Amino acid sequence: PIDQLAWVVDDLDASMTHWAETLGVGPWFLIPHVAVEDFRVDGVPSPVDMSLAIAYSGRRQIELIQQHNDAPSMYKESLDAGRAGQHHIGFFRRDYDDRLNRALEAGYTVGQSGVLGGNVRFTYLRTESDPGTIAELVELNDPIEAAFVAFHQASLEWDGNDPIRNAGT
């Protein structure tokens, strides 16, 4: 199943506020200036500076991403092409290597990749022609799963107050 729907936005604060106040999605867990290790676009290192926010709508994770610099990335590619908005679908898997190999064998190519927190690998696959959006594969491990479970639980208990929170709180 698809675990995540993600948007690239120009103004993360405004987007979180819109989703919370207009769409009733929240609370948002903000990760400013994400520390991404070994970030590569089409195999070439890139010093991307981005912030992201995560919330849940039902069982589905929603992610908002804002890039702060002009470093190459698939986020910047979309924004430069006038495609702010829905960017990719995400799959969280413990069998990351097997899933990535299967995708590459199926003809998909790596658009960008990196490591979060020293141990969470992610890969964006260039799949724009089929199924029509980018696919991201995220390596699921116990700490990241625990964070996602906590974010989801917060959404179930959310009363509309405190709609934007630091991910560490």
Side-chain angles (χ1 to χ4, degrees):
I2 295 170
D3 297 297
Q4 178 193 75
L5 301 174
W7 277 254
V8 174
V9 300
D10 293 315
D11 184 332
L12 190 57
D13 290 329
S15 293
M16 288 186 292
T17 299
H18 171 79
W19 278 80
E21 292 178 359
T22 305
L23 302 175
V25 174
W28 288 94
F29 291 89
L30 175 63
I31 306 169
H33 302 281
V34 178
V36 182
E37 303 162 36
D38 196 28
F39 187 77
R40 295 177 177 272
V41 180
D42 297 321
V44 178
S46 178
V48 71
D49 178 16
M50 66 176 176
S51 296
L52 62 86
I54 295 172
Y56 278 81
S57 179
R59 299 278 317 149
R60 190 82 53 237
Q61 186 184 97
I62 307 296
E63 180 182 46
L64 304 174
I65 303 163
Q66 179 182 353
Q67 184 167 332
H68 303 292
N69 64 2
D70 287 331
S73 75
M74 292 175 78
Y75 317 123
K76 185 173 180 328
E77 288 173 15
S78 292
L79 292 172
D80 287 351
R83 292 190 315 265
Q86 205 283 324
H87 185 259
H88 67 268
I89 55 176
F91 300 90
F92 308 147
R93 299 293 184 268
R94 289 188 181 267
D95 60 343
Y96 176 90
D97 290 314
D98 180 55
R99 296 289 181 143
L100 179 57
N101 287 332
R102 287 170 48 192
L104 296 174
E105 288 170 4
Y108 298 120
T109 59
V110 174
Q112 66 186 27
S113 61
V115 179
L116 299 170
N119 64 354
V120 178
R121 295 177 292 169
F122 65 90
T123 299
Y124 285 69
L125 298 164
R126 291 200 180 274
T127 60
E128 292 96 328
S129 62
D130 180 23
T133 190
I134 299 164
E136 178 189 22
L137 181 62
V138 177
E139 184 173 31
L140 190 61
N141 60 31
D142 290 343
I144 197 73
E145 184 174 35
F148 290 167
V149 167
F151 296 166
H152 180 251
Q153 186 61 39
S155 76
L156 297 175
E157 299 167 357
W158 187 51
D159 62 3
N161 291 313
D162 193 17
I164 300 172
R165 306 170 185 187
N166 284 326
T169 61

